[in-house]
């Protein structure tokens, strides 16, 4: 048995035991990957189109020099993971790395299976760092809630999540339109929520998965 909690972007979200569950598509989110976005004219190629991070004067997907959407995007230096690329943040941040300009502060989309959830789910109690089970066809993957997407849109996940599910992981042309089942357990974030080993998240999800009701 399940109870309808909300409908977001036409997708019903239901309570399933102690978890929230929905079935829909998966858009691939590059945020947090150190090579997610490249400056125009740099000769570098970002994993995603720069327009998906904003525009001059309104950057919502890049770290800026003054910490506001109106600032200038921060470019990684020689000691960073991807020199010359912009720094792309996630809502979930490391409690070990405090420098907001350091790409290691954020959850790397290319390495960590994560979900980005809309504000409506945050209001219902889904927290950053909560764990999830994501299923597609005969594949499944653990995930962690690491980012917040736009209101009214549900079904975003990291490059690593798409890859684990056998879905085209390109933020530019990948993803899929339907058939992805996401189960999130509110209140299951680690302490601290990040950083965590993916193997630790996997073990936690395997335990929670065994307690799911049938149906």
């Amino acid at each position: 048995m399940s109870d309808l909690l909300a409908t977001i972007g036409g997708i019903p979200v239901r309570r399933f035991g102690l978890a929230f569950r929905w079935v829909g598509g998966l858009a691939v989110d590059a945020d947090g990957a150190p090579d997610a976005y490249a400056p125009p004219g740099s000769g570098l190629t970002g994993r995603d189109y720069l327009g998906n991070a904003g525009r001059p004067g309104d950057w919502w997907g890049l770290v800026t020099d003054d910490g506001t959407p109106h600032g200038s995007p921060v470019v990684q230096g020689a000691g960073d993971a991807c020199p010359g690329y912009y720094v792309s943040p996630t809502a979930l941040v490391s409690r070990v790395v405090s420098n907001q300009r350091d790409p290691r502060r954020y959850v790397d989309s290319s390495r960590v299976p994560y979900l980005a959830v809309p504000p409506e789910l945050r209001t219902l109690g889904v927290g950053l760092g909560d764990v999830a089970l994501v299923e597609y066809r005969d594949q499944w993957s653990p995930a962690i809630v690491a980012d917040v997407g736009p209101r009214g849109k549900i079904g975003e996940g990291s490059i690593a999540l798409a890859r684990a599910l056998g879905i085209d992981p390109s933020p530019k042309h990948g993803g899929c339109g339907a058939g992805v089942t996401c189960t999130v357990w509110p209140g299951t974030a680690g302490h601290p929520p990040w950083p965590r080993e993916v193997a630790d998240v996997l073990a936690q999800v395997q335990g929670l998965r065994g307690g799911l009701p049938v149906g």
Side-chain angles (χ1 to χ4, degrees):
M1 297 293 292
S2 61
D3 299 318
L4 180 65
L5 294 170
T7 300
I8 304 172
I11 303 295
V13 179
R14 300 182 182 277
R15 186 186 300 276
F16 196 73
L18 298 176
F20 295 172
R21 174 176 285 180
W22 66 91
V23 182
L26 186 76
V28 182
D29 183 355
D31 291 354
D35 57 351
Y37 302 106
S42 65
L44 301 171
T45 301
R47 288 182 180 265
D48 201 357
Y49 298 114
L50 184 57
N52 288 330
R55 59 189 62 86
D58 186 21
W59 297 111
W60 58 78
L62 300 178
V63 174
T64 65
D65 57 357
D66 65 0
T68 75
H70 311 295
S72 298
V74 172
V75 177
Q76 296 177 55
D80 291 321
C82 292
Y85 284 84
Y86 289 139
V87 178
S88 171
T90 53
L92 181 62
V93 299
S94 172
R95 294 298 184 264
V96 176
V97 181
S98 59
N99 182 358
Q100 295 183 2
R101 299 186 179 201
D102 189 333
R104 295 174 301 171
R105 178 169 168 80
Y106 309 105
V107 185
D108 185 347
S109 173
S110 68
R111 295 179 178 272
V112 180
Y114 75 62
L115 287 174
V117 300
E120 292 93 327
L121 281 186
R122 299 279 284 125
T123 300
L124 288 171
V126 175
L128 294 174
D130 285 344
V131 299
L133 168 70
V134 187
E135 302 166 276
Y136 180 67
R137 296 180 178 173
D138 60 347
Q139 302 293 321
W140 70 273
S141 175
I144 189 168
V145 176
D147 212 1
V148 179
R151 185 173 297 277
K153 182 180 179 182
I154 194 167
E156 287 189 46
S158 68
I159 295 166
L161 177 61
R163 186 185 301 116
L165 296 173
I167 296 170
D168 184 341
S170 170
K172 294 179 177 178
H173 54 68
C176 68
V180 179
T181 301
C182 298
T183 306
V184 178
W185 286 269
T188 54
H191 301 285
W194 192 257
R196 294 183 67 184
E197 294 294 334
V198 174
D200 179 43
V201 177
L202 171 61
Q204 185 178 4
V205 169
Q206 285 177 320
L208 292 166
R209 185 189 190 199
L212 283 173
V214 177

